PDB file of all heavy atoms in Angstrom:
ATOM      1  N   GLU B 185     148.511   9.292 335.257  1.00  0.00           N
ATOM      2  CA  GLU B 185     148.496   7.804 335.413  1.00  0.00           C
ATOM      3  C   GLU B 185     147.148   7.244 335.137  1.00  0.00           C
ATOM      4  O   GLU B 185     147.000   6.086 334.618  1.00  0.00           O
ATOM      5  CB  GLU B 185     148.839   7.416 336.837  1.00  0.00           C
ATOM      6  CG  GLU B 185     150.408   7.410 337.110  1.00  0.00           C
ATOM      7  CD  GLU B 185     150.667   7.121 338.569  1.00  0.00           C
ATOM      8  OE1 GLU B 185     149.785   6.488 339.216  1.00  0.00           O
ATOM      9  OE2 GLU B 185     151.721   7.411 338.953  1.00  0.00           O
ATOM     10  N   ASP B 186     146.092   7.966 335.550  1.00  0.00           N
ATOM     11  CA  ASP B 186     144.726   7.422 335.385  1.00  0.00           C
ATOM     12  C   ASP B 186     144.130   7.746 334.038  1.00  0.00           C
ATOM     13  O   ASP B 186     142.858   7.644 333.895  1.00  0.00           O
ATOM     14  CB  ASP B 186     143.922   7.957 336.553  1.00  0.00           C
ATOM     15  CG  ASP B 186     142.900   6.898 336.970  1.00  0.00           C
ATOM     16  OD1 ASP B 186     142.986   5.755 336.525  1.00  0.00           O
ATOM     17  OD2 ASP B 186     141.824   7.261 337.572  1.00  0.00           O
ATOM     18  N   ALA B 187     144.944   8.188 333.123  1.00  0.00           N
ATOM     19  CA  ALA B 187     144.266   8.696 331.866  1.00  0.00           C
ATOM     20  C   ALA B 187     143.833   7.512 331.022  1.00  0.00           C
ATOM     21  O   ALA B 187     144.389   6.417 331.109  1.00  0.00           O
ATOM     22  CB  ALA B 187     145.304   9.500 331.097  1.00  0.00           C
ATOM     23  N   LEU B 188     142.793   7.811 330.287  1.00  0.00           N
ATOM     24  CA  LEU B 188     142.292   6.752 329.348  1.00  0.00           C
ATOM     25  C   LEU B 188     143.456   6.349 328.393  1.00  0.00           C
ATOM     26  O   LEU B 188     144.068   7.179 327.727  1.00  0.00           O
ATOM     27  CB  LEU B 188     141.137   7.252 328.561  1.00  0.00           C
ATOM     28  CG  LEU B 188     140.603   6.257 327.606  1.00  0.00           C
ATOM     29  CD1 LEU B 188     139.989   5.074 328.317  1.00  0.00           C
ATOM     30  CD2 LEU B 188     139.359   6.933 326.805  1.00  0.00           C
ATOM     31  N   GLY B 189     143.769   5.112 328.402  1.00  0.00           N
ATOM     32  CA  GLY B 189     144.867   4.605 327.582  1.00  0.00           C
ATOM     33  C   GLY B 189     145.886   3.909 328.428  1.00  0.00           C
ATOM     34  O   GLY B 189     146.478   3.003 328.016  1.00  0.00           O
ATOM     35  N   THR B 190     145.933   4.176 329.683  1.00  0.00           N
ATOM     36  CA  THR B 190     146.834   3.437 330.547  1.00  0.00           C
ATOM     37  C   THR B 190     146.108   2.155 330.990  1.00  0.00           C
ATOM     38  O   THR B 190     145.619   2.056 332.101  1.00  0.00           O
ATOM     39  CB  THR B 190     147.270   4.180 331.789  1.00  0.00           C
ATOM     40  OG1 THR B 190     146.101   4.683 332.469  1.00  0.00           O
ATOM     41  CG2 THR B 190     148.235   5.310 331.511  1.00  0.00           C
ATOM     42  N   GLY B 191     146.060   1.190 330.187  1.00  0.00           N
ATOM     43  CA  GLY B 191     145.361  -0.088 330.452  1.00  0.00           C
ATOM     44  C   GLY B 191     143.975   0.183 330.283  1.00  0.00           C
ATOM     45  O   GLY B 191     143.216   0.348 331.279  1.00  0.00           O
ATOM     46  N   SER B 192     143.581   0.245 329.039  1.00  0.00           N
ATOM     47  CA  SER B 192     142.186   0.736 328.722  1.00  0.00           C
ATOM     48  C   SER B 192     141.125  -0.181 329.371  1.00  0.00           C
ATOM     49  O   SER B 192     140.001   0.224 329.556  1.00  0.00           O
ATOM     50  CB  SER B 192     141.950   0.728 327.255  1.00  0.00           C
ATOM     51  OG  SER B 192     142.089  -0.623 326.845  1.00  0.00           O
ATOM     52  N   THR B 193     141.513  -1.374 329.721  1.00  0.00           N
ATOM     53  CA  THR B 193     140.508  -2.301 330.372  1.00  0.00           C
ATOM     54  C   THR B 193     140.524  -2.189 331.840  1.00  0.00           C
ATOM     55  O   THR B 193     139.804  -2.925 332.510  1.00  0.00           O
ATOM     56  CB  THR B 193     140.745  -3.745 329.868  1.00  0.00           C
ATOM     57  OG1 THR B 193     142.036  -4.023 330.166  1.00  0.00           O
ATOM     58  CG2 THR B 193     140.473  -3.922 328.436  1.00  0.00           C
ATOM     59  N   GLY B 194     141.341  -1.226 332.379  1.00  0.00           N
ATOM     60  CA  GLY B 194     141.213  -0.972 333.787  1.00  0.00           C
ATOM     61  C   GLY B 194     141.703  -2.077 334.722  1.00  0.00           C
ATOM     62  O   GLY B 194     141.398  -2.081 335.848  1.00  0.00           O
ATOM     63  N   ARG B 195     142.607  -2.976 334.201  1.00  0.00           N
ATOM     64  CA  ARG B 195     143.018  -3.963 335.057  1.00  0.00           C
ATOM     65  C   ARG B 195     144.345  -3.537 335.752  1.00  0.00           C
ATOM     66  O   ARG B 195     145.295  -3.311 335.170  1.00  0.00           O
ATOM     67  CB  ARG B 195     143.345  -5.259 334.235  1.00  0.00           C
ATOM     68  CG  ARG B 195     142.178  -5.607 333.326  1.00  0.00           C
ATOM     69  CD  ARG B 195     141.546  -6.901 333.955  1.00  0.00           C
ATOM     70  NE  ARG B 195     140.194  -7.041 333.522  1.00  0.00           N
ATOM     71  CZ  ARG B 195     139.860  -7.455 332.234  1.00  0.00           C
ATOM     72  NH1 ARG B 195     140.797  -7.683 331.368  1.00  0.00           N
ATOM     73  NH2 ARG B 195     138.672  -7.496 331.940  1.00  0.00           N
ATOM     74  N   SER B 196     144.244  -3.565 337.112  1.00  0.00           N
ATOM     75  CA  SER B 196     145.445  -3.104 337.815  1.00  0.00           C
ATOM     76  C   SER B 196     146.543  -4.115 337.789  1.00  0.00           C
ATOM     77  O   SER B 196     147.699  -3.785 337.887  1.00  0.00           O
ATOM     78  CB  SER B 196     145.010  -2.810 339.306  1.00  0.00           C
ATOM     79  OG  SER B 196     144.539  -3.970 339.841  1.00  0.00           O
ATOM     80  N   ASP B 197     146.212  -5.329 337.560  1.00  0.00           N
ATOM     81  CA  ASP B 197     147.284  -6.385 337.556  1.00  0.00           C
ATOM     82  C   ASP B 197     147.905  -6.678 336.194  1.00  0.00           C
ATOM     83  O   ASP B 197     148.776  -7.466 336.081  1.00  0.00           O
ATOM     84  CB  ASP B 197     146.671  -7.745 338.115  1.00  0.00           C
ATOM     85  CG  ASP B 197     145.519  -8.265 337.285  1.00  0.00           C
ATOM     86  OD1 ASP B 197     145.004  -7.449 336.554  1.00  0.00           O
ATOM     87  OD2 ASP B 197     145.181  -9.412 337.424  1.00  0.00           O
ATOM     88  N   SER B 198     147.434  -5.993 335.203  1.00  0.00           N
ATOM     89  CA  SER B 198     147.890  -6.308 333.892  1.00  0.00           C
ATOM     90  C   SER B 198     149.202  -5.600 333.647  1.00  0.00           C
ATOM     91  O   SER B 198     149.511  -4.588 334.245  1.00  0.00           O
ATOM     92  CB  SER B 198     146.919  -5.874 332.823  1.00  0.00           C
ATOM     93  OG  SER B 198     147.256  -4.746 332.186  1.00  0.00           O
ATOM     94  N   GLU B 199     149.951  -6.278 332.687  1.00  0.00           N
ATOM     95  CA  GLU B 199     151.233  -5.702 332.418  1.00  0.00           C
ATOM     96  C   GLU B 199     151.141  -4.257 331.737  1.00  0.00           C
ATOM     97  O   GLU B 199     152.100  -3.592 331.596  1.00  0.00           O
ATOM     98  CB  GLU B 199     151.999  -6.648 331.522  1.00  0.00           C
ATOM     99  CG  GLU B 199     152.515  -7.800 332.236  1.00  0.00           C
ATOM    100  CD  GLU B 199     153.448  -8.695 331.421  1.00  0.00           C
ATOM    101  OE1 GLU B 199     153.904  -8.243 330.342  1.00  0.00           O
ATOM    102  OE2 GLU B 199     153.686  -9.764 331.833  1.00  0.00           O
ATOM    103  N   SER B 200     149.953  -3.997 331.262  1.00  0.00           N
ATOM    104  CA  SER B 200     149.725  -2.711 330.505  1.00  0.00           C
ATOM    105  C   SER B 200     150.080  -1.600 331.480  1.00  0.00           C
ATOM    106  O   SER B 200     150.520  -0.525 330.890  1.00  0.00           O
ATOM    107  CB  SER B 200     148.296  -2.653 330.057  1.00  0.00           C
ATOM    108  OG  SER B 200     147.432  -2.725 331.127  1.00  0.00           O
ATOM    109  N   LEU B 201     150.055  -1.830 332.743  1.00  0.00           N
ATOM    110  CA  LEU B 201     150.348  -0.675 333.674  1.00  0.00           C
ATOM    111  C   LEU B 201     151.792  -0.319 333.641  1.00  0.00           C
ATOM    112  O   LEU B 201     152.210   0.739 333.995  1.00  0.00           O
ATOM    113  CB  LEU B 201     149.909  -1.070 335.008  1.00  0.00           C
ATOM    114  CG  LEU B 201     148.433  -1.026 335.265  1.00  0.00           C
ATOM    115  CD1 LEU B 201     148.090  -1.424 336.722  1.00  0.00           C
ATOM    116  CD2 LEU B 201     147.757   0.257 335.015  1.00  0.00           C
ATOM    117  N   LEU B 202     152.572  -1.320 333.090  1.00  0.00           N
ATOM    118  CA  LEU B 202     154.057  -1.071 332.990  1.00  0.00           C
ATOM    119  C   LEU B 202     154.321  -0.168 331.788  1.00  0.00           C
ATOM    120  O   LEU B 202     155.373   0.366 331.695  1.00  0.00           O
ATOM    121  CB  LEU B 202     154.781  -2.344 332.840  1.00  0.00           C
ATOM    122  CG  LEU B 202     154.579  -3.343 334.062  1.00  0.00           C
ATOM    123  CD1 LEU B 202     155.323  -4.664 333.782  1.00  0.00           C
ATOM    124  CD2 LEU B 202     155.222  -2.773 335.326  1.00  0.00           C
ATOM    125  N   LEU B 203     153.407  -0.048 330.826  1.00  0.00           N
ATOM    126  CA  LEU B 203     153.614   0.775 329.682  1.00  0.00           C
ATOM    127  C   LEU B 203     153.482   2.225 330.026  1.00  0.00           C
ATOM    128  O   LEU B 203     152.746   2.587 330.970  1.00  0.00           O
ATOM    129  CB  LEU B 203     152.645   0.439 328.576  1.00  0.00           C
ATOM    130  CG  LEU B 203     152.577  -1.035 328.066  1.00  0.00           C
ATOM    131  CD1 LEU B 203     151.442  -1.217 327.189  1.00  0.00           C
ATOM    132  CD2 LEU B 203     153.892  -1.303 327.319  1.00  0.00           C
ATOM    133  N   SER B 204     154.193   3.084 329.305  1.00  0.00           N
ATOM    134  CA  SER B 204     153.977   4.483 329.549  1.00  0.00           C
ATOM    135  C   SER B 204     152.550   4.826 328.970  1.00  0.00           C
ATOM    136  O   SER B 204     152.074   4.228 328.145  1.00  0.00           O
ATOM    137  CB  SER B 204     155.042   5.294 328.821  1.00  0.00           C
ATOM    138  OG  SER B 204     154.783   5.236 327.423  1.00  0.00           O
ATOM    139  N   PRO B 205     152.031   5.938 329.573  1.00  0.00           N
ATOM    140  CA  PRO B 205     150.663   6.321 329.118  1.00  0.00           C
ATOM    141  C   PRO B 205     150.590   6.537 327.615  1.00  0.00           C
ATOM    142  O   PRO B 205     149.621   6.136 327.034  1.00  0.00           O
ATOM    143  CB  PRO B 205     150.423   7.573 329.923  1.00  0.00           C
ATOM    144  CG  PRO B 205     151.378   7.546 331.050  1.00  0.00           C
ATOM    145  CD  PRO B 205     152.507   6.699 330.652  1.00  0.00           C
ATOM    146  N   GLU B 206     151.643   7.116 327.104  1.00  0.00           N
ATOM    147  CA  GLU B 206     151.594   7.423 325.689  1.00  0.00           C
ATOM    148  C   GLU B 206     151.558   6.153 324.796  1.00  0.00           C
ATOM    149  O   GLU B 206     150.715   5.991 323.951  1.00  0.00           O
ATOM    150  CB  GLU B 206     152.818   8.299 325.249  1.00  0.00           C
ATOM    151  CG  GLU B 206     152.832   8.814 323.900  1.00  0.00           C
ATOM    152  CD  GLU B 206     151.551   9.627 323.515  1.00  0.00           C
ATOM    153  OE1 GLU B 206     150.941  10.269 324.399  1.00  0.00           O
ATOM    154  OE2 GLU B 206     151.074   9.525 322.366  1.00  0.00           O
TER     155      GLU B 206
END
Side-chain angles (χ1 to χ4, degrees):
Chain B
E185 276 176 24
D186 210 17
L188 180 59
T190 54
S192 66
T193 54
R195 306 253 158 75
S196 57
D197 60 343
S198 105
E199 288 187 13
S200 58
L201 289 178
L202 300 174
L203 300 172
S204 73
E206 187 53 35

